[in-house]
Amino acid sequence: MQDQGKRLLLAVALALGVMLLWNVIFPSKKPDSTPPPQTTSQGSAAVLAPATTKVGVSTLPSPAAPVAAPAAEAPRGPEQKIELSFKNVSATFSSYGGVLSSWHLADKRFDKDQTKGELLPSTVDTGAFGVNFSKSTFVLPAKTEWKGTRVSDTEVVYTLSTDTVDLEKKYTILPDVYLVKLVVTARVKVPAGQMAEQQLAVTSYAFQDPNKIQKGSGQGAEARAWHSSTLRGGTIYHTPIKKLIKAPRLEQGIKWTGFEHPYLLAAYAPRFEGQSTVDKFSSAEASGLMRTDLLFEKTVVKPGDAPITKEIVAYLGPKNYTSLDAADSAAGFSTSFTSTIDLGWFAFIGKPLLWLLQKFYAAFGNWGIAIILLTFLVKAATLYWTTKSMRSMKAMAALAPQMKALQEKYKDDRQRLQSETMALYKTHNVNPIAGCLPILLQMPIWLALYRMLSSAGELYQQPFIPGWIGDLTSTDPFYILPIVLVVTMFMQARLTPQTGDSRQQKFLQYGMPLMFGVMSFFFPSGLTLYIFTNTVLSALHSIYMNKFDKKSLELAAKMKAANEAATAKDKDAGKGGGKAAAAKPVIDTTATEAGEAGEEDDESEAAPASSGPARPRPNQGKKKKRRR
């Protein structure tokens, strides 16, 4: 039973190490929709979605398909801008295309990111929410000039009128949750007796230099770069910039599309009406300019028909879970933006931990301190079971001499050894599996923290100690914390009660600290800080248990007395066996001599053996002979 407990503890420790290492080397990656490379023309939205050729689950434009030619480029005057400023973000709109041309995050921590806090490219005629028609009867000129009006502190309206269509864009900014709402209204001017086919396309851009892609926070972690992302069929498909340059993508029946960074998001979700579906087409230039088009269903328009109205909601900000979660309420429909935060198997633990971190940060203003306080709280929550585990391990350590004696005694009878071991544990009320509890309790917490620190925008570029750890989602740049963690884990392992000298015990004492120490060189520094704090608290707990815990001291004394009693019993049994062996020949010799003389007394046969001195029996003198 002892071996089983050690094997279980070893298996749990190894499983934890393997799972953490697997997450570091092979982080969860969203599958990539990769059809065969083909080329297509790139330009205005009017030529981006011609007739398609299906390839598996995705489709690509057919280069030979006919497309509607865009109208002649319209002359335009100087660019007119409308700027809106808020506490956490500033937005700029342009008359060139009536687009959102700039979206800048005000938090200074984003200045350390490659984007410098700007989520939209600065190239003219890019931005977000460009509107045109794809493969339609009427299309807009390649470059248009819209008329903008600032309606309120959070609303802007742009209008455009041509010979064939009247367009209105109504923007609403919800800065607290990094949300932008757009309602597009298009009234097509169809001549009497005719009809038109119109497919609305909404275009947005992002930028990622393919030659400047930062590595992730650890080995195998997701690179800190923007890539094209799409939620389709409950799965997020993402395409890195280099693959997107080689092969554009067309995906059908999407939930949202846009551009994703490990800790930032620029996603666009259409509002669906009835059974309508929306497709998306993405492409990229060699310079790193990425483009995605939301392609709504084609509509047949007749004279006098109601205008075409579509609504799109965009999230442009850090992947803060609370903000993403609030986006649905603010949008008025399910956007599924929260799917970009993947907390893995232990999301039910990761979400409460993130909530607690936010509360601690709100109180103390430092995410590193928040992680330390979270460790204290988790340690306190698991203290009861950890204490029971420590007492059980101390009891097992005290029983080690008796266990060794049993192993020696029944070394050739494994079944008997197991039954005697179980009886020994039952006698002393010891549970050998209880020693696994600390690792069993901490394993899901560590995994949940790792996944949370790998995707939570709240901790991105957040410092612990400026000049040392400037980003808790990245590794320690000087490797100070991992080295200190290794030393602390070795010290803590020495304080743990030793239940034997087996190889498993030596691995837990030396192998585990070394394994976690090496892995901590690749962990986010926030996770290493948590493990270090937990190790220090465990060491202090071990010292308390060894020196001051009354139950542990009483248990140790009781076990010591039990060991001494067992040892004394064995010695007495050995001595008693020697006396019996020495007395037996004397008795046998006497009986033999009496038999040879032919003398045997009836009463002496019935009399019980006595260890006292012999007493004379009445009338004991001459013995009568009995004839046989």
Side-chain angles (χ1 to χ4, degrees):
M1 188 67 178
Q2 184 189 35
D3 290 339
Q4 290 179 355
K6 291 178 181 178
R7 290 192 189 103
L8 179 58
L9 184 59
L10 178 63
V12 171
L14 285 173
L16 172 60
V18 169
M19 291 178 72
L20 283 171
L21 192 61
W22 182 270
N23 276 280
V24 172
I25 299 177
F26 303 106
S28 64
K29 293 183 179 180
K30 306 169 183 68
D32 179 27
S33 175
T34 311
Q38 296 186 22
T39 59
T40 182
S41 60
Q42 296 188 31
S44 68
V47 297
L48 279 180
T52 57
T53 301
K54 292 187 177 180
V55 182
V57 296
S58 299
T59 57
L60 284 175
S62 172
V67 297
E73 182 176 323
R76 57 185 183 182
E79 184 180 17
Q80 303 295 322
K81 296 183 178 181
I82 298 176
E83 297 182 357
L84 303 178
S85 295
F86 306 96
K87 181 179 179 181
N88 60 336
V89 69
S90 60
T92 302
F93 297 88
S94 172
S95 60
Y96 287 179
V99 298
L100 176 65
S101 60
S102 172
W103 185 268
H104 190 270
L105 303 177
D107 195 328
K108 294 298 181 183
R109 64 187 169 113
F110 295 114
D111 292 343
K112 294 180 285 185
D113 184 74
Q114 281 190 357
T115 63
K116 306 298 181 184
E118 178 57 63
L119 300 193
L120 296 175
S122 58
T123 308
V124 179
D125 293 318
T126 57
F129 301 110
V131 171
N132 208 325
F133 295 94
S134 171
K135 199 171 182 293
S136 301
T137 304
F138 303 117
V139 295
L140 300 180
K143 295 181 179 180
T144 56
E145 183 176 8
W146 295 59
K147 182 180 179 181
T149 303
R150 179 172 176 169
V151 179
S152 68
D153 291 341
T154 59
E155 291 185 357
V156 173
V157 174
Y158 276 91
T159 58
L160 175 69
S161 181
T162 69
D163 294 338
T164 57
V165 65
D166 290 333
L167 284 165
E168 181 188 77
K169 293 182 182 179
K170 183 178 181 180
Y171 291 99
T172 303
I173 310 297
L174 302 170
D176 293 340
V177 288
Y178 303 97
L179 217 63
V180 181
K181 275 187 179 182
L182 171 66
V183 178
V184 180
T185 303
R187 185 180 296 278
V188 182
K189 302 174 182 178
V190 183
Q194 299 183 22
M195 63 181 184
E197 289 186 348
Q198 300 295 123
Q199 183 178 29
L200 188 68
V202 179
T203 305
S204 298
Y205 291 84
F207 180 81
Q208 173 59 55
D209 190 336
N211 300 316
K212 294 182 180 180
I213 296 178
Q214 296 178 338
K215 293 183 178 180
S217 60
Q219 182 178 350
E222 188 176 358
R224 298 192 173 190
W226 289 91
H227 49 256
S228 176
S229 290
T230 302
L231 178 62
R232 174 172 55 82
T235 301
I236 298 179
Y237 296 85
H238 72 131
T239 310
I241 176 66
K242 293 182 179 180
K243 287 188 176 182
L244 194 60
I245 292 173
K246 292 180 180 179
R249 303 286 191 270
L250 176 61
E251 298 185 52
Q252 298 174 318
I254 61 101
K255 180 72 174 178
W256 58 256
T257 188
F259 309 97
E260 192 177 356
H261 178 281
Y263 300 97
L264 302 169
L265 180 66
Y268 305 85
R271 184 165 194 160
F272 295 93
E273 300 174 358
Q275 301 299 318
S276 63
T277 60
V278 178
D279 303 336
K280 77 99 184 187
F281 183 84
S282 297
S283 60
E285 298 177 2
S287 63
L289 184 65
M290 296 183 288
R291 171 177 180 163
T292 190
D293 294 84
L294 281 168
L295 304 172
F296 292 87
E297 286 185 325
K298 187 170 291 188
T299 303
V300 177
V301 184
K302 298 177 183 179
D305 283 354
I308 301 170
T309 302
K310 301 297 180 183
E311 182 177 346
I312 304 101
V313 171
Y315 182 91
L316 304 166
K319 290 183 181 177
N320 297 347
Y321 190 87
T322 51
S323 299
L324 291 169
D325 191 41
D328 287 356
S329 298
F333 64 94
S334 175
T335 61
S336 297
F337 290 147
T338 53
S339 60
T340 57
I341 298 183
D342 183 10
L343 297 179
W345 300 338
F346 298 103
F348 67 96
I349 297 176
K351 290 179 183 178
L353 291 180
L354 180 58
W355 181 83
L356 288 170
L357 276 178
Q358 291 172 334
K359 296 301 180 183
F360 287 135
Y361 175 75
F364 296 94
N366 185 289
W367 286 100
I369 295 176
I371 290 174
I372 293 173
L373 293 174
L374 177 67
T375 315
F376 273 86
L377 185 62
V378 172
K379 194 67 177 178
T382 59
L383 186 62
Y384 172 78
W385 293 278
T386 305
T387 300
K388 290 192 67 175
S389 171
M390 289 286 291
R391 288 170 181 165
S392 180
M393 291 177 70
K394 288 179 72 67
M396 287 185 64
L399 288 176
Q402 295 187 55
M403 281 299 308
K404 188 174 181 179
L406 287 176
Q407 291 170 357
E408 182 66 25
K409 185 175 182 181
Y410 301 108
K411 59 183 178 181
D412 297 326
D413 189 349
R414 300 291 298 178
Q415 186 174 359
R416 181 67 183 277
L417 174 61
Q418 186 175 9
S419 62
E420 291 293 335
T421 302
M422 292 179 65
L424 181 65
Y425 287 152
K426 186 175 181 180
T427 300
H428 296 283
N429 196 25
V430 173
N431 184 2
I433 302 178
C436 306
L437 278 176
I439 294 180
L440 284 173
L441 291 172
Q442 290 295 333
M443 181 172 66
I445 296 173
W446 289 352
L447 289 171
L449 272 174
Y450 177 78
R451 296 305 295 270
M452 181 185 71
L453 292 171
S454 298
S455 60
E458 286 89 345
L459 278 74
Y460 179 53
Q461 297 292 357
Q462 293 284 10
F464 172 40
I465 299 177
W468 172 25
I469 297 178
D471 182 6
L472 287 165
T473 64
S474 185
T475 55
D476 183 345
F478 304 107
Y479 302 111
I480 296 174
L481 198 56
I483 293 173
V484 175
L485 174 63
V486 173
V487 175
T488 307
M489 291 191 79
F490 273 115
M491 293 175 61
Q492 195 272 333
R494 298 294 297 174
L495 294 170
T496 303
Q498 306 301 306
T499 59
D501 296 325
S502 63
R503 293 180 181 179
Q504 296 97 323
Q505 185 66 44
K506 289 181 180 179
F507 171 79
L508 294 175
Q509 192 170 19
Y510 300 105
M512 283 292 290
L514 185 61
M515 180 177 68
F516 275 95
V518 172
M519 292 169 64
S520 65
F521 281 82
F522 306 103
F523 282 158
S525 54
L527 178 59
T528 307
L529 178 62
Y530 176 90
I531 298 175
F532 168 72
T533 307
N534 181 74
T535 303
V536 172
L537 293 176
S538 297
L540 294 174
H541 185 221
S542 297
I543 293 173
Y544 172 81
M545 295 294 294
N546 293 335
K547 299 292 184 181
F548 306 105
D549 183 57
K550 292 182 179 180
K551 290 187 177 181
S552 295
L553 295 175
E554 291 174 358
L555 182 63
K558 181 180 177 181
M559 292 297 179
K560 183 178 179 180
N563 285 330
E564 291 175 352
T567 303
K569 183 177 180 181
D570 290 342
K571 289 182 179 179
D572 290 343
K575 291 179 181 180
K579 289 180 180 180
K584 187 174 182 179
V586 176
I587 296 171
D588 289 344
T589 302
T590 305
T592 303
E593 291 175 352
E596 289 177 353
E599 298 177 354
E600 191 169 337
D601 188 69
D602 292 338
E603 294 179 3
S604 65
E605 289 180 357
S610 175
S611 60
R615 291 180 295 176
R617 295 187 180 91
N619 302 323
Q620 187 178 12
K622 295 181 179 181
K623 295 182 179 179
K624 295 182 179 179
K625 292 182 180 181
R626 179 177 296 176
R627 297 180 182 271
R628 296 185 178 178

